[in-house]
Amino acid sequence: MATEKPVTPTEEQLEILEYNFCKVNKHPDPTTLCLIAAETGLSEEQTLKWFKQRLAEWRKSEGLPSECGSVRD
């Protein structure tokens, strides 16, 4: 089974990813994720993985559990 090699986003790609994470949506829908991936030149899988890791970092920094869950009650 072939696995995708880890890719380190460039500074420009990180700027796009961070902007979308902070200003647009921490939980992008599939369409938005596709657009972000196209804009950065990363695959959708790589983009989704980055968002998941970044969300875990954000939750930890906010003192929230790192696992998925909603606090939108």
Side-chain angles (χ1 to χ4, degrees):
M1 180 167 78
T3 57
E4 202 172 279
K5 293 180 182 177
V7 174
T8 303
T10 65
E11 190 172 320
E12 185 177 327
Q13 289 169 325
L14 280 174
E15 286 178 18
I16 295 167
L17 291 165
E18 280 292 339
Y19 173 83
N20 281 282
F21 182 83
C22 295
K23 304 283 188 211
V24 180
N25 193 345
K26 290 175 178 44
H27 304 276
D29 59 62
T31 303
T32 304
L33 190 70
C34 181
L35 293 171
I36 295 168
E39 186 178 358
T40 60
L42 298 171
S43 71
E44 288 181 53
E45 292 79 17
Q46 292 166 326
T47 305
L48 180 60
K49 185 176 180 181
W50 184 91
F51 267 86
K52 285 182 176 182
Q53 291 173 338
R54 182 64 179 86
L55 184 61
E57 289 174 19
W58 176 80
R59 292 179 66 82
K60 185 177 179 182
S61 74
E62 294 292 311
L64 300 168
S66 60
E67 68 271 0
C68 292
S70 179
V71 292
R72 299 180 187 174
D73 294 325

